[in-house]
Amino acid sequence: MRLRPSSRDASTVKTIHETPDLQDDAGAPSLDLKIGGTIEFRNVSFSYDDQAPILRDINFTIPAGRTTAIVGMSGQGKSTLFSLAMRMVDVADGAILIDGQDIRRVAQGDLRSQIAYVNQSFVAFPGTIYYNIAYGAVSLGELASKDEVVEAAKAVNLYDTIMGREDGFDAKLDKSGNKMSGGELQRMGIARALVKKSPILLLDEATAALDTATETKIMDYIRNSKESRTTVIIAHRISTIMDADQIVVLGHGRVAELGTHNELVAKGGIYAEMWAKTQAGSLSDMPTVVDKPIGP
Ligand SMILES: Nc1ncnc2c1ncn2[C@@H]1O[C@H](COP(=O)(O)OP(=O)(O)OP(=O)(O)O)[C@@H](O)[C@H]1O
């Protein structure tokens, strides 16, 4: 059985799905994912509030149905790339195309309904654990079914934890997500995104609080799920991203390197240096990698 969201929670989602500052063209069409969600950053530049550019002439393509990782030191603009792809903000120059369509020309609500986004903060709604996960499907018009919620909870290694508690999936959460640890709430966030079954999944440090074994299980599930999904991961932990089909290294607002883990290690650049330090046990996270200037 599928429940309908409460009107108050639905209005929260409406706010998320419509950015007041950015207007749709009259009669803006839906996003037509004819390829399955290829995201192209074409000559993209961006700055916040007339400040110095955060991103400069960014060019790369995220292939449909594959996993792409974005790495780089803190403050390089990784999360901003996600904000741009969801059109929370608009590019200053260039364009972002999804399956060949400029995202400024399609209906914003439809664009965001095709994208599931997870960051480190899980917004809990007062209601049951079931409701809090099922809510991920709300932009599709109704909550996810119990079976879909159970599948997602299993995928993020949360099923046994939930069932081990009094009331199981019917246990009530308040806004602070009481009864759950930070890592459990992070997995709730991923489960909520999974029930959306969107063709595009953006994970911004979404597994940072999890142990490596749990993270690997979740990433394996996403990679092997029957739905073809374009997955983009931002992460500092190298173990999170090394199996990606493509790794984009951002530095000084530009794409500094792009390739697979093996290609980038062989290249001997920034990524290789990060990897060498990880191997030596002196580095687990990206931010401590040497901050080299990137050429034009
Ligand atoms: N809403 C905003 N308004 C103004 N500046 C912002 C805003 N959001 C981010 N910035 C700035 O833009 C730069 C890029 O931020 P962003 O969060 O995209 O980087 P990041 O690479 O994801 O960093 P981290 O790894 O620390 O999460 C930073 O200098 C940040 O302070």
Side-chain angles (χ1 to χ4, degrees), residues 39-132:
I39 308 171
E40 181 188 350
F41 289 82
R42 188 184 287 175
N43 307 322
V44 167
S45 297
F46 177 77
S47 58
Y48 285 104
D49 305 326
D50 297 327
Q51 294 170 13
I54 303 292
L55 300 167
R56 281 175 286 166
D57 202 20
I58 296 282
N59 282 290
F60 69 96
T61 298
I62 294 170
R66 313 296 286 273
T67 300
T68 291
I70 300 173
V71 300
M73 289 179 52
S74 188
Q76 297 296 306
K78 303 180 296 294
S79 300
T80 301
L81 285 177
F82 278 5
S83 299
L84 288 164
M86 292 185 282
R87 210 182 163 215
M88 305 309 292
V89 287
D90 262 343
V91 297
D93 277 311
I96 297 170
L97 298 96
I98 299 186
D99 285 0
Q101 296 147 91
D102 187 325
I103 61 170
R104 288 169 295 191
R105 303 277 80 85
V106 301
Q108 292 172 60
D110 186 66
L111 167 72
R112 292 181 204 126
S113 71
Q114 312 255 25
I115 299 174
Y117 165 73
V118 191
N119 64 10
Q120 289 208 62
S121 51
F122 174 75
V123 178
F125 295 123
T128 63
I129 289 177
Y130 160 69
Y131 179 78
N132 268 278

Coordinates of all heavy atoms in Angstrom, one line a residue, residues 39-132:
I39 N 25.4 13.7 -18.7 CA 25.5 15.0 -18.3 C 26.8 15.7 -18.8 O 27.9 15.2 -18.6 CB 25.5 15.1 -16.7 CG1 24.4 14.3 -16.1 CG2 25.5 16.6 -16.3 CD1 24.5 14.1 -14.6
E40 N 26.6 16.7 -19.6 CA 27.7 17.4 -20.2 C 27.9 18.8 -19.7 O 27.0 19.6 -19.7 CB 27.6 17.5 -21.7 CG 28.8 18.1 -22.4 CD 28.5 18.4 -23.9 OE1 27.5 17.9 -24.5 OE2 29.4 19.1 -24.5
F41 N 29.1 19.0 -19.1 CA 29.5 20.4 -18.7 C 30.2 21.0 -19.9 O 31.3 20.5 -20.2 CB 30.3 20.4 -17.5 CG 29.6 20.0 -16.2 CD1 29.3 18.7 -15.9 CD2 29.1 21.0 -15.3 CE1 28.6 18.3 -14.7 CE2 28.4 20.6 -14.2 CZ 28.2 19.3 -13.9
R42 N 29.7 22.0 -20.5 CA 30.3 22.5 -21.7 C 30.7 24.0 -21.5 O 29.9 24.9 -21.3 CB 29.2 22.5 -22.9 CG 29.8 22.9 -24.2 CD 28.8 22.9 -25.3 NE 28.3 21.5 -25.7 CZ 27.3 21.3 -26.5 NH1 26.6 22.3 -27.1 NH2 27.0 20.1 -26.8
N43 N 32.0 24.2 -21.4 CA 32.6 25.5 -21.2 C 32.0 26.3 -20.0 O 31.7 27.4 -20.1 CB 32.4 26.4 -22.4 CG 33.0 25.8 -23.7 OD1 34.0 25.1 -23.6 ND2 32.3 25.9 -24.8
V44 N 31.7 25.5 -18.9 CA 31.0 26.1 -17.8 C 31.9 26.9 -16.9 O 33.0 26.5 -16.4 CB 30.3 25.0 -17.0 CG1 29.8 25.5 -15.6 CG2 29.2 24.4 -17.7
S45 N 31.5 28.2 -16.6 CA 32.1 29.0 -15.6 C 31.1 29.4 -14.7 O 29.9 29.6 -15.0 CB 32.8 30.2 -16.3 OG 33.8 29.8 -17.1
F46 N 31.5 29.7 -13.4 CA 30.5 30.1 -12.4 C 31.2 30.8 -11.3 O 32.3 30.5 -10.9 CB 29.8 28.8 -11.8 CG 28.8 29.1 -10.7 CD1 27.6 29.7 -11.0 CD2 29.2 29.0 -9.4 CE1 26.7 30.0 -10.0 CE2 28.3 29.3 -8.4 CZ 27.1 29.8 -8.7
S47 N 30.5 31.8 -10.8 CA 31.0 32.5 -9.5 C 29.8 32.8 -8.7 O 28.7 33.0 -9.2 CB 31.8 33.7 -9.8 OG 31.0 34.6 -10.6
Y48 N 30.0 32.8 -7.4 CA 28.9 33.2 -6.5 C 28.9 34.7 -6.3 O 29.9 35.3 -6.0 CB 29.1 32.6 -5.1 CG 28.7 31.1 -5.0 CD1 29.8 30.1 -5.0 CD2 27.4 30.6 -5.0 CE1 29.5 28.8 -5.0 CE2 27.1 29.3 -5.0 CZ 28.2 28.4 -4.9 OH 27.9 27.0 -4.9
D49 N 27.8 35.4 -6.5 CA 27.6 36.8 -6.1 C 28.8 37.7 -6.6 O 29.3 38.4 -5.8 CB 27.5 37.0 -4.6 CG 26.4 36.1 -4.1 OD1 25.4 35.9 -4.8 OD2 26.5 35.6 -2.9
D50 N 29.1 37.6 -7.9 CA 30.2 38.4 -8.4 C 31.5 38.3 -7.7 O 32.4 39.2 -7.8 CB 29.8 39.9 -8.4 CG 28.5 40.2 -9.2 OD1 28.4 39.5 -10.3 OD2 27.7 41.0 -8.9
Q51 N 31.7 37.2 -7.0 CA 33.0 36.9 -6.5 C 33.9 36.3 -7.5 O 33.5 36.1 -8.7 CB 32.9 36.0 -5.3 CG 32.2 36.6 -4.1 CD 31.9 35.5 -3.0 OE1 32.4 34.4 -3.0 NE2 31.0 35.9 -2.1
A52 N 35.2 36.0 -7.2 CA 36.1 35.4 -8.2 C 35.5 34.1 -8.6 O 34.8 33.4 -7.8 CB 37.4 35.2 -7.5
P53 N 35.7 33.7 -9.9 CA 35.1 32.4 -10.4 C 35.5 31.2 -9.5 O 36.7 31.1 -9.2 CB 35.7 32.3 -11.8 CG 36.1 33.7 -12.2 CD 36.5 34.4 -10.9
I54 N 34.5 30.4 -9.2 CA 34.8 29.1 -8.5 C 35.2 28.1 -9.6 O 36.1 27.3 -9.4 CB 33.5 28.6 -7.8 CG1 33.0 29.7 -6.8 CG2 33.8 27.3 -7.1 CD1 33.9 29.9 -5.6
L55 N 34.5 28.1 -10.7 CA 34.7 27.2 -11.8 C 35.0 27.9 -13.1 O 34.3 28.9 -13.4 CB 33.5 26.3 -12.0 CG 33.0 25.5 -10.8 CD1 31.6 24.9 -10.9 CD2 34.0 24.3 -10.5
R56 N 36.0 27.5 -13.8 CA 36.4 28.2 -15.0 C 36.5 27.2 -16.2 O 37.3 26.3 -16.2 CB 37.8 28.9 -14.8 CG 37.6 30.2 -14.0 CD 38.9 30.8 -13.7 NE 39.6 30.0 -12.6 CZ 40.9 30.1 -12.3 NH1 41.6 30.9 -12.9 NH2 41.4 29.5 -11.3
D57 N 35.7 27.5 -17.2 CA 35.8 26.7 -18.4 C 35.9 25.2 -18.2 O 36.8 24.5 -18.7 CB 37.0 27.2 -19.2 CG 36.8 26.9 -20.7 OD1 35.7 26.7 -21.2 OD2 37.9 26.9 -21.4
I58 N 34.9 24.7 -17.5 CA 34.8 23.3 -17.2 C 34.2 22.6 -18.4 O 33.1 22.9 -18.8 CB 33.9 23.1 -15.9 CG1 34.6 23.7 -14.7 CG2 33.6 21.6 -15.7 CD1 35.7 23.0 -14.1
N59 N 34.9 21.6 -18.8 CA 34.5 20.7 -19.9 C 34.7 19.2 -19.6 O 35.8 18.8 -19.4 CB 35.3 21.0 -21.2 CG 34.8 22.3 -21.9 OD1 33.8 22.3 -22.4 ND2 35.7 23.3 -21.8
F60 N 33.6 18.5 -19.4 CA 33.7 17.1 -19.3 C 32.3 16.5 -19.4 O 31.3 17.2 -19.2 CB 34.4 16.6 -18.0 CG 33.7 16.8 -16.7 CD1 32.9 15.8 -16.2 CD2 33.7 18.0 -16.0 CE1 32.2 16.0 -15.0 CE2 33.1 18.2 -14.8 CZ 32.3 17.2 -14.3
T61 N 32.3 15.2 -19.7 CA 31.0 14.5 -19.9 C 30.9 13.4 -18.9 O 31.8 12.6 -18.7 CB 30.8 14.0 -21.3 OG1 30.8 15.2 -22.2 CG2 29.5 13.3 -21.5
I62 N 29.7 13.3 -18.3 CA 29.4 12.2 -17.4 C 28.6 11.2 -18.2 O 27.4 11.5 -18.5 CB 28.7 12.7 -16.1 CG1 29.6 13.6 -15.3 CG2 28.2 11.5 -15.3 CD1 28.9 14.4 -14.2
P63 N 29.1 10.0 -18.5 CA 28.3 9.1 -19.4 C 27.1 8.5 -18.7 O 27.2 8.2 -17.5 CB 29.4 8.0 -19.8 CG 30.6 8.4 -19.1 CD 30.4 9.5 -18.1
A64 N 26.1 8.3 -19.4 CA 24.9 7.7 -18.9 C 25.1 6.3 -18.4 O 25.9 5.5 -19.0 CB 23.8 7.7 -20.0
G65 N 24.5 5.9 -17.3 CA 24.5 4.6 -16.8 C 25.9 4.1 -16.2 O 26.0 3.0 -15.8
R66 N 26.8 5.1 -16.0 CA 28.1 4.7 -15.5 C 28.3 5.5 -14.2 O 27.5 6.3 -13.8 CB 29.2 5.1 -16.4 CG 29.0 4.6 -17.9 CD 28.9 3.1 -18.0 NE 30.2 2.5 -17.8 CZ 31.1 2.3 -18.9 NH1 30.7 2.7 -20.1 NH2 32.3 1.8 -18.7
T67 N 29.4 5.2 -13.5 CA 29.7 5.9 -12.2 C 30.9 6.8 -12.5 O 32.0 6.4 -12.9 CB 30.1 4.9 -11.1 OG1 29.0 4.0 -10.9 CG2 30.4 5.6 -9.8
T68 N 30.7 8.1 -12.2 CA 31.8 9.1 -12.3 C 32.0 9.6 -10.9 O 31.1 9.9 -10.1 CB 31.3 10.2 -13.2 OG1 31.3 9.7 -14.5 CG2 32.3 11.4 -13.2
A69 N 33.3 9.8 -10.5 CA 33.7 10.4 -9.2 C 34.3 11.7 -9.5 O 35.0 12.0 -10.5 CB 34.6 9.5 -8.5
I70 N 34.0 12.7 -8.6 CA 34.6 14.0 -8.6 C 35.4 14.2 -7.3 O 34.9 14.0 -6.2 CB 33.6 15.1 -8.8 CG1 32.8 14.8 -10.1 CG2 34.2 16.5 -8.8 CD1 31.6 15.8 -10.2
V71 N 36.7 14.4 -7.5 CA 37.6 14.6 -6.3 C 38.3 15.9 -6.4 O 38.4 16.5 -7.5 CB 38.6 13.5 -6.1 CG1 37.9 12.1 -5.9 CG2 39.6 13.4 -7.3
G72 N 38.8 16.4 -5.4 CA 39.6 17.6 -5.4 C 39.6 18.2 -3.9 O 38.8 17.8 -3.1
M73 N 40.5 19.0 -3.7 CA 40.7 19.6 -2.4 C 39.4 20.3 -2.0 O 38.6 20.7 -2.8 CB 41.9 20.5 -2.3 CG 43.2 19.8 -2.4 SD 44.5 20.9 -2.3 CE 44.1 21.9 -0.9
S74 N 39.3 20.6 -0.7 CA 38.1 21.3 -0.1 C 38.0 22.7 -0.8 O 39.0 23.3 -1.0 CB 38.4 21.4 1.4 OG 37.2 21.9 1.9
G75 N 36.8 23.0 -1.1 CA 36.6 24.4 -1.7 C 36.8 24.5 -3.2 O 36.8 25.6 -3.7
Q76 N 37.1 23.4 -3.9 CA 37.4 23.5 -5.3 C 36.2 23.6 -6.2 O 36.3 23.8 -7.4 CB 38.2 22.3 -5.8 CG 39.5 22.2 -5.1 CD 40.5 23.3 -5.4 OE1 40.7 23.6 -6.6 NE2 41.0 24.0 -4.4
G77 N 35.0 23.5 -5.6 CA 33.8 23.6 -6.4 C 33.0 22.3 -6.7 O 32.2 22.3 -7.6
K78 N 33.4 21.2 -6.0 CA 32.7 20.0 -6.3 C 31.2 20.0 -6.1 O 30.4 19.7 -6.9 CB 33.4 18.8 -5.5 CG 34.9 18.7 -5.7 CD 35.5 17.6 -4.9 CE 35.4 17.8 -3.4 NZ 36.2 18.9 -2.8
S79 N 30.8 20.5 -4.9 CA 29.4 20.5 -4.6 C 28.7 21.5 -5.5 O 27.5 21.4 -5.8 CB 29.2 21.0 -3.1 OG 29.8 20.0 -2.3
T80 N 29.4 22.6 -5.9 CA 28.8 23.6 -6.8 C 28.5 22.9 -8.1 O 27.4 23.3 -8.7 CB 29.8 24.8 -7.0 OG1 30.1 25.3 -5.7 CG2 29.2 25.8 -7.9
L81 N 29.3 22.0 -8.6 CA 28.9 21.3 -9.8 C 27.6 20.6 -9.7 O 26.8 20.6 -10.6 CB 30.0 20.2 -10.2 CG 31.3 20.7 -10.7 CD1 32.3 19.5 -10.9 CD2 31.1 21.5 -12.0
F82 N 27.3 20.0 -8.5 CA 26.0 19.4 -8.3 C 24.9 20.4 -8.3 O 23.8 20.2 -8.8 CB 26.0 18.6 -6.9 CG 26.6 17.2 -7.0 CD1 27.2 16.8 -8.2 CD2 26.6 16.4 -5.9 CE1 27.8 15.5 -8.2 CE2 27.1 15.1 -6.0 CZ 27.7 14.7 -7.1
S83 N 25.1 21.6 -7.6 CA 24.1 22.6 -7.5 C 23.8 23.1 -9.0 O 22.6 23.3 -9.3 CB 24.6 23.8 -6.7 OG 24.8 23.4 -5.4
L84 N 24.8 23.2 -9.8 CA 24.6 23.6 -11.2 C 23.8 22.5 -11.9 O 22.9 22.8 -12.7 CB 25.9 23.9 -11.9 CG 26.7 25.1 -11.4 CD1 28.1 25.1 -11.8 CD2 26.0 26.4 -11.9
A85 N 24.1 21.3 -11.7 CA 23.5 20.2 -12.5 C 22.0 20.1 -12.1 O 21.2 19.7 -12.9 CB 24.2 18.8 -12.3
M86 N 21.7 20.4 -10.9 CA 20.3 20.4 -10.4 C 19.6 21.7 -10.7 O 18.4 21.9 -10.4 CB 20.2 20.1 -8.9 CG 20.6 18.7 -8.6 SD 20.4 18.3 -6.8 CE 21.8 19.2 -6.1
R87 N 20.3 22.6 -11.3 CA 19.9 24.0 -11.6 C 19.4 24.7 -10.3 O 18.3 25.4 -10.3 CB 18.8 24.0 -12.7 CG 18.9 25.4 -13.4 CD 18.0 25.6 -14.5 NE 17.9 27.0 -14.8 CZ 16.9 27.7 -15.2 NH1 15.7 27.1 -15.4 NH2 16.9 29.0 -15.5
M88 N 20.1 24.5 -9.2 CA 19.8 25.3 -8.0 C 20.4 26.7 -8.3 O 19.9 27.7 -7.7 CB 20.4 24.7 -6.8 CG 20.0 23.3 -6.5 SD 18.3 22.9 -6.5 CE 17.7 23.8 -5.0
V89 N 21.4 26.8 -9.1 CA 22.0 28.0 -9.5 C 22.3 27.8 -11.0 O 22.4 26.7 -11.5 CB 23.3 28.4 -8.8 CG1 23.0 28.8 -7.4 CG2 24.3 27.2 -8.8
D90 N 22.4 29.0 -11.7 CA 22.6 28.9 -13.2 C 24.1 29.2 -13.5 O 24.8 30.0 -12.8 CB 21.8 29.9 -13.9 CG 20.5 29.3 -14.5 OD1 20.5 28.1 -14.6 OD2 19.6 30.1 -14.8
V91 N 24.6 28.6 -14.5 CA 26.0 28.9 -15.0 C 26.1 30.3 -15.4 O 25.1 31.0 -15.8 CB 26.4 28.0 -16.2 CG1 26.3 26.5 -15.9 CG2 25.4 28.3 -17.4
A92 N 27.3 30.9 -15.2 CA 27.5 32.2 -15.7 C 27.9 32.2 -17.2 O 27.4 33.1 -17.9 CB 28.7 32.9 -14.9
D93 N 28.6 31.2 -17.6 CA 29.0 31.0 -19.0 C 28.9 29.5 -19.3 O 29.0 28.7 -18.4 CB 30.4 31.5 -19.3 CG 30.5 33.0 -19.5 OD1 29.7 33.5 -20.3 OD2 31.3 33.6 -18.9
G94 N 28.7 29.2 -20.6 CA 28.6 27.9 -21.0 C 27.3 27.3 -20.7 O 26.3 28.0 -20.6
A95 N 27.2 26.0 -20.7 CA 25.9 25.3 -20.6 C 26.1 23.9 -20.0 O 27.1 23.3 -20.1 CB 25.2 25.2 -22.0
I96 N 25.0 23.4 -19.3 CA 25.0 22.0 -18.9 C 23.9 21.4 -19.7 O 22.7 21.9 -19.7 CB 24.7 22.0 -17.4 CG1 25.9 22.6 -16.6 CG2 24.5 20.5 -16.9 CD1 25.6 22.8 -15.1
L97 N 24.2 20.3 -20.3 CA 23.3 19.6 -21.1 C 23.1 18.2 -20.5 O 24.0 17.5 -20.2 CB 23.7 19.4 -22.6 CG 23.9 20.8 -23.3 CD1 25.4 21.3 -23.2 CD2 23.4 20.7 -24.7
I98 N 21.8 17.8 -20.5 CA 21.5 16.4 -20.1 C 20.9 15.7 -21.3 O 19.8 16.2 -21.8 CB 20.6 16.3 -18.8 CG1 21.4 16.9 -17.6 CG2 20.3 14.8 -18.5 CD1 20.7 16.8 -16.3
D99 N 21.5 14.7 -21.8 CA 21.0 14.0 -23.0 C 20.8 15.1 -24.1 O 19.8 15.0 -24.8 CB 19.8 13.1 -22.8 CG 20.2 11.9 -22.1 OD1 21.4 11.7 -21.8 OD2 19.3 11.1 -21.8
G100 N 21.7 16.0 -24.2 CA 21.7 17.0 -25.3 C 20.8 18.2 -25.0 O 20.7 19.1 -25.8
Q101 N 20.0 18.2 -23.9 CA 19.1 19.3 -23.7 C 19.7 20.3 -22.6 O 20.1 19.8 -21.5 CB 17.7 18.8 -23.1 CG 17.0 18.0 -24.1 CD 16.2 16.9 -23.4 OE1 15.0 17.1 -23.1 NE2 16.8 15.8 -23.1
D102 N 19.7 21.6 -23.0 CA 20.2 22.6 -22.0 C 19.3 22.6 -20.8 O 18.0 22.8 -21.0 CB 20.2 23.9 -22.7 CG 20.9 25.0 -21.9 OD1 20.7 25.0 -20.7 OD2 21.5 25.9 -22.5
I103 N 19.8 22.4 -19.6 CA 18.9 22.3 -18.5 C 18.1 23.6 -18.2 O 17.1 23.5 -17.5 CB 19.6 21.7 -17.2 CG1 20.7 22.7 -16.8 CG2 20.1 20.3 -17.5 CD1 21.3 22.3 -15.4
R104 N 18.6 24.7 -18.7 CA 17.9 25.9 -18.5 C 16.6 26.0 -19.3 O 15.7 26.8 -19.1 CB 18.7 27.1 -18.9 CG 19.9 27.4 -17.9 CD 20.8 28.4 -18.4 NE 21.5 27.9 -19.6 CZ 22.6 28.4 -20.2 NH1 23.1 29.5 -19.7 NH2 23.1 27.9 -21.2
R105 N 16.5 25.1 -20.3 CA 15.3 25.2 -21.2 C 14.2 24.1 -20.8 O 13.2 24.1 -21.4 CB 15.7 24.9 -22.6 CG 16.8 25.9 -23.2 CD 16.2 27.2 -23.7 NE 15.9 28.1 -22.6 CZ 16.8 29.0 -22.0 NH1 18.0 29.0 -22.5 NH2 16.4 29.8 -21.1
V106 N 14.5 23.3 -19.8 CA 13.5 22.3 -19.4 C 12.9 22.7 -18.1 O 13.4 23.5 -17.3 CB 14.1 20.9 -19.3 CG1 14.7 20.4 -20.6 CG2 15.1 20.8 -18.2
A107 N 11.7 22.1 -17.8 CA 11.0 22.5 -16.6 C 11.8 22.0 -15.3 O 12.2 20.9 -15.3 CB 9.6 21.8 -16.6
Q108 N 12.0 23.0 -14.4 CA 12.9 22.7 -13.3 C 12.4 21.5 -12.4 O 13.1 20.7 -12.0 CB 13.0 23.9 -12.4 CG 13.7 25.1 -12.9 CD 13.5 26.3 -12.0 OE1 13.9 26.2 -10.9 NE2 12.9 27.3 -12.5
G109 N 11.1 21.5 -12.2 CA 10.5 20.5 -11.4 C 10.8 19.1 -12.0 O 11.1 18.1 -11.3
D110 N 10.6 19.0 -13.3 CA 10.9 17.7 -14.0 C 12.3 17.4 -13.9 O 12.7 16.2 -13.7 CB 10.4 17.8 -15.4 CG 10.5 16.5 -16.1 OD1 9.7 15.6 -15.7 OD2 11.3 16.3 -17.0
L111 N 13.2 18.4 -14.1 CA 14.6 18.1 -14.0 C 15.0 17.5 -12.7 O 15.6 16.4 -12.6 CB 15.4 19.4 -14.2 CG 16.9 19.4 -13.8 CD1 17.7 18.6 -14.9 CD2 17.5 20.8 -13.7
R112 N 14.5 18.1 -11.6 CA 14.8 17.6 -10.3 C 14.1 16.3 -9.9 O 14.6 15.5 -9.1 CB 14.5 18.7 -9.2 CG 15.5 19.8 -9.5 CD 15.4 20.9 -8.5 NE 16.0 22.1 -9.2 CZ 15.4 23.3 -9.4 NH1 14.2 23.5 -8.9 NH2 16.0 24.2 -10.0
S113 N 13.0 16.0 -10.6 CA 12.3 14.7 -10.3 C 13.1 13.6 -10.9 O 13.0 12.4 -10.5 CB 10.9 14.7 -10.8 OG 10.9 14.7 -12.2
Q114 N 14.0 13.9 -11.8 CA 14.8 12.8 -12.5 C 16.2 12.6 -11.7 O 17.0 11.8 -12.2 CB 15.1 13.2 -13.9 CG 13.9 13.7 -14.7 CD 13.4 12.6 -15.6 OE1 13.6 11.4 -15.5 NE2 12.7 13.1 -16.7
I115 N 16.4 13.4 -10.7 CA 17.7 13.4 -10.0 C 17.5 13.1 -8.6 O 16.7 13.8 -7.9 CB 18.5 14.7 -10.2 CG1 18.7 15.1 -11.7 CG2 19.8 14.7 -9.4 CD1 19.3 16.4 -11.9
A116 N 18.2 12.1 -8.0 CA 18.2 11.9 -6.6 C 19.5 12.4 -6.0 O 20.5 12.2 -6.6 CB 18.0 10.4 -6.2
Y117 N 19.4 13.2 -5.0 CA 20.6 13.8 -4.4 C 20.7 13.5 -3.0 O 19.8 13.6 -2.2 CB 20.4 15.4 -4.7 CG 21.4 16.2 -3.9 CD1 22.7 16.3 -4.2 CD2 20.9 17.0 -2.8 CE1 23.6 17.1 -3.5 CE2 21.8 17.8 -2.1 CZ 23.1 17.9 -2.5 OH 24.0 18.7 -1.8
V118 N 21.9 13.1 -2.5 CA 22.2 12.8 -1.1 C 23.4 13.6 -0.7 O 24.5 13.5 -1.3 CB 22.4 11.3 -0.9 CG1 22.4 11.0 0.6 CG2 21.5 10.4 -1.6
N119 N 23.3 14.4 0.4 CA 24.5 14.9 1.0 C 24.7 14.4 2.4 O 24.0 13.4 2.7 CB 24.5 16.5 0.9 CG 23.4 17.1 1.7 OD1 22.7 16.4 2.5 ND2 23.2 18.3 1.5
Q120 N 25.5 15.1 3.2 CA 25.8 14.5 4.5 C 24.6 14.7 5.5 O 24.6 14.1 6.5 CB 27.0 15.1 5.0 CG 28.3 14.6 4.3 CD 29.5 14.6 5.2 OE1 29.5 14.0 6.2 NE2 30.5 15.4 4.8
S121 N 23.8 15.7 5.2 CA 22.7 16.0 6.2 C 21.4 15.4 5.8 O 20.9 15.6 4.7 CB 22.6 17.5 6.4 OG 22.5 18.1 5.2
F122 N 20.9 14.5 6.7 CA 19.6 13.9 6.4 C 18.5 14.7 7.1 O 18.6 15.0 8.3 CB 19.6 12.5 7.0 CG 18.3 11.8 6.9 CD1 17.8 11.3 5.7 CD2 17.5 11.6 8.1 CE1 16.6 10.6 5.6 CE2 16.3 11.0 8.0 CZ 15.8 10.5 6.8
V123 N 17.5 15.1 6.3 CA 16.4 15.9 6.9 C 15.3 14.9 7.3 O 14.7 14.3 6.5 CB 15.9 16.9 5.9 CG1 14.7 17.7 6.4 CG2 16.9 17.9 5.4
A124 N 15.2 14.8 8.6 CA 14.1 13.9 9.1 C 12.8 14.6 9.2 O 12.8 15.8 9.6 CB 14.6 13.3 10.5
F125 N 11.8 13.9 8.9 CA 10.4 14.4 9.1 C 9.8 13.7 10.3 O 10.1 12.5 10.5 CB 9.5 14.1 7.9 CG 10.0 14.8 6.6 CD1 10.3 14.1 5.5 CD2 10.1 16.2 6.6 CE1 10.7 14.7 4.3 CE2 10.5 16.8 5.4 CZ 10.8 16.1 4.3
P126 N 9.0 14.4 11.1 CA 8.3 13.6 12.1 C 7.4 12.5 11.5 O 6.6 12.8 10.7 CB 7.4 14.7 12.8 CG 8.0 16.0 12.3 CD 8.6 15.8 11.0
G127 N 7.7 11.3 11.9 CA 6.9 10.2 11.3 C 7.7 8.9 11.5 O 8.8 8.9 12.1
T128 N 7.2 7.9 10.9 CA 7.8 6.6 11.1 C 9.1 6.5 10.2 O 9.3 7.3 9.3 CB 6.9 5.4 10.7 OG1 6.6 5.6 9.3 CG2 5.6 5.4 11.5
I129 N 9.9 5.5 10.6 CA 11.1 5.2 9.7 C 10.6 4.9 8.3 O 11.2 5.4 7.3 CB 11.9 4.1 10.4 CG1 12.6 4.6 11.6 CG2 13.0 3.5 9.4 CD1 13.4 3.5 12.4
Y130 N 9.6 4.1 8.2 CA 9.0 3.8 6.9 C 8.7 5.0 6.1 O 9.2 5.2 5.0 CB 7.8 2.9 7.0 CG 6.9 2.9 5.8 CD1 7.4 2.3 4.6 CD2 5.7 3.6 5.8 CE1 6.6 2.4 3.5 CE2 5.0 3.7 4.6 CZ 5.4 3.1 3.5 OH 4.7 3.2 2.3
Y131 N 8.0 5.9 6.8 CA 7.6 7.2 6.1 C 8.8 8.0 5.7 O 8.9 8.5 4.5 CB 6.8 8.0 7.1 CG 6.3 9.4 6.5 CD1 5.2 9.5 5.7 CD2 6.9 10.5 6.9 CE1 4.8 10.7 5.2 CE2 6.5 11.8 6.4 CZ 5.4 11.8 5.6 OH 5.0 13.1 5.1
N132 N 9.8 8.0 6.5 CA 11.0 8.8 6.2 C 11.8 8.3 5.0 O 12.4 9.1 4.3 CB 11.9 8.9 7.5 CG 11.6 10.2 8.3 OD1 12.1 11.2 8.0 ND2 10.8 10.0 9.3

